[in-house]
Amino acid sequence: MTDEQAVTGQTLPEDTIISTTKLFVGGLDWNIRGRQLNDEFSKFGVVKFARVKLREDGKSKGFGFVEFEKPEDAAKAQAEMNDKELNGRVIKVDFARESLERIKAREERAALEAAGETTPATDAE
């Protein structure tokens, strides 16, 4: 059992890690988009990106992700924003969990984009 499992009581798949800079934000108002999410979280530090996940019809799925440059900024945002009200809804903020496979694919896309071999993927996170 890992320290994380001992603290949370959760067992994560072996190929899953918990990010130190990327936050999951759930329970969002249906009208919130990435720009407002960025505005709300940027008071804690430099936000690399803020994205609200959308359905195919363009409507919000009610959750999103915010990634900070520094782990300490993400930790402060998580502690202060979890269970806070945003646009009339109580939001849940936790550190994002990602599979190693997804992380590797994102890094490969970024390397290709940096080399000019492909165009950036949209909403790939």
Side-chain angles (χ1 to χ4, degrees):
M1 179 179 288
T2 66
D3 291 340
E4 173 67 21
Q5 292 166 350
V7 171
T8 65
Q10 298 176 350
T11 303
L12 299 174
E14 283 187 26
D15 71 338
T16 301
I17 65 164
I18 297 175
S19 177
T20 59
T21 57
K22 186 175 179 181
L23 301 175
F24 167 84
V25 184
L28 291 173
D29 174 81
W30 306 116
N31 296 311
I32 290 180
R33 294 297 184 261
R35 177 165 283 153
Q36 185 176 358
L37 205 56
N38 183 54
D39 292 346
E40 292 293 333
F41 281 82
S42 63
K43 60 187 168 191
F44 300 103
V46 177
V47 173
K48 290 172 69 174
F49 76 81
R51 181 175 297 131
V52 174
K53 297 300 277 185
L54 303 176
R55 300 185 323 201
E56 287 183 22
D57 62 5
K59 294 181 181 178
S60 171
K61 290 184 176 183
F63 71 92
F65 297 92
V66 177
E67 185 164 8
F68 287 88
E69 282 190 5
K70 299 178 181 177
E72 56 271 21
D73 295 339
K76 185 173 183 181
Q78 190 279 327
E80 293 190 28
M81 292 298 287
N82 188 43
D83 291 327
K84 296 292 182 192
E85 189 173 306
L86 182 61
N87 281 22
R89 295 191 59 167
V90 176
I91 61 172
K92 293 292 183 184
V93 181
D94 203 356
F95 289 93
R97 296 169 183 173
E98 296 186 278
S99 72
L100 295 175
E101 182 178 308
R102 173 168 261 184
I103 293 167
K104 183 178 178 183
R106 185 174 58 244
E107 289 171 351
E108 288 172 356
R109 276 195 315 273
L112 289 173
E113 290 167 13
E117 295 182 30
T118 184
T119 57
T122 56
D123 208 30
E125 297 296 318

